[in-house]
Amino acid sequence: MGLGYQETLTLPFDMIDVQQELKLPGFLAYCLALSSRQSELLGFGDKEVFEAYGLVWVVTDYEVEISCLPRYQEKITIETEVVAYNKFFCYRSFHIYDERGEVLITILAHLVLIDFETRKVSPLPEELLVLYQIEEDKKVVRTPKYASLERAVEQEREVRYFDLDLNGHVNNSKYLEWMYESLGYDFLLAHQPTYFQLKYLKEVSPEVLVTTKVVQTEASSQHEIWSNGQLKAQGIIKWRRRDDSRN
């Protein structure tokens, strides 16, 4: 395994939803920021990578397993490490623990480096990855295939100013937020997620309209996000009713 890093956090008001539980879309962004802090401590943070190579990190996929969502003012520990890499992909895990050491959430993120100007994927610099003390694995982690959506419910929304990140495109946490919002308030009140996977296909630019598409059942929902006639992201979320959960 690679070089690990961890931080503890007492969940504040702004990271909690109406159920007093962790808001997962924003938490994805928080975890990426935490991984960036590890890279900064190793001397190769986002700024250094950009200045040295003109490259920026981009997430292509998430796979997330949820045992229990932590609650308001609960103290959690977030551990992360780079678990594998090959020529183009870097795989980073996150484990979130409660105060008893029980795993609440497990996240696997697939990341690539892209050229900021051309937006093309770049090979990973060897001198960067040796910092994480892990050997190259030439295998590529295969991601699940998504079935085409039929008779999906569609909603249109505008990309807002604060949806954008410093690269000038929609922050990846917003895609999951849009998927949640497409399900409606009553469904979200009555259900908790147990698992989700996300695939990011193309960046969403500012000043455009996006269309969310969803097909949902009691136990799962499948999502697509479109803009300018292009499929931008896909996702699958598995759900359980709150009266079936341990919360």
Side-chain angles (χ1 to χ4, degrees), residues 21-220:
E21 295 172 341
L22 177 69
K23 292 189 286 191
L24 281 169
F27 188 65
L28 292 181
Y30 184 91
C31 287
L32 284 185
L34 183 147
S35 67
S36 295
R37 289 193 285 276
Q38 180 190 22
S39 299
E40 290 167 3
L41 290 173
L42 295 173
F44 245 114
D46 295 343
K47 180 180 178 181
E48 289 77 15
V49 171
F50 180 75
E51 290 178 347
Y53 304 104
L55 304 176
V56 293
W57 286 107
V58 172
V59 177
T60 64
D61 297 84
Y62 278 116
E63 185 172 10
V64 180
E65 296 182 6
I66 305 140
S67 172
C68 181
L69 289 173
R71 301 179 64 83
Y72 178 48
Q73 291 192 333
E74 184 172 350
K75 186 177 181 180
I76 60 174
T77 298
I78 307 167
E79 291 185 348
T80 185
E81 62 182 323
V82 176
V83 294
Y85 75 93
N86 51 51
K87 183 177 181 181
F88 290 105
F89 284 91
C90 175
Y91 305 101
R92 180 180 277 277
S93 69
F94 301 85
H95 291 86
I96 292 81
Y97 301 91
D98 65 14
E99 290 189 89
R100 295 171 295 180
E102 294 186 6
V103 178
L104 303 177
I105 304 170
T106 301
I107 302 170
L108 180 65
H110 302 202
L111 300 103
V112 296
L113 281 169
I114 65 170
D115 186 287
F116 183 78
E117 297 296 333
T118 67
R119 315 309 290 179
K120 292 183 178 179
V121 175
S122 170
L124 302 179
E126 179 69 23
E127 59 269 31
L128 171 60
L129 291 165
V130 295
L131 298 172
Y132 299 102
Q133 301 178 16
I134 190 168
E135 296 182 359
E136 182 179 9
D137 184 348
K138 295 185 182 297
K139 293 184 294 185
V140 176
V141 177
R142 298 299 176 185
T143 56
K145 294 186 179 296
Y146 294 77
S148 299
L149 295 188
E150 297 182 4
R151 296 187 293 276
V153 176
E154 299 185 11
Q155 297 177 351
E156 194 171 66
R157 65 183 67 239
E158 295 182 356
V159 174
R160 299 170 301 177
Y161 178 83
F162 288 113
D163 293 337
L164 307 176
D165 58 22
L166 58 81
N167 295 319
H169 296 87
V170 172
N171 185 279
N172 63 55
S173 66
K174 288 295 177 179
Y175 296 76
L176 180 59
E177 185 175 305
W178 290 339
M179 292 176 185
Y180 263 64
E181 290 174 350
S182 71
L183 296 169
Y185 183 75
D186 291 339
F187 182 89
L188 295 176
L189 279 182
H191 295 79
Q192 285 181 316
T194 62
Y195 171 89
F196 66 83
Q197 60 194 48
L198 297 177
K199 176 177 284 295
Y200 302 100
L201 300 169
K202 294 181 181 294
E203 296 170 313
V204 175
S205 302
E207 298 183 350
V208 299
L209 294 175
V210 296
T211 300
T212 60
K213 300 182 180 182
V214 61
V215 173
Q216 71 182 96
T217 67
E218 185 75 11
S220 67

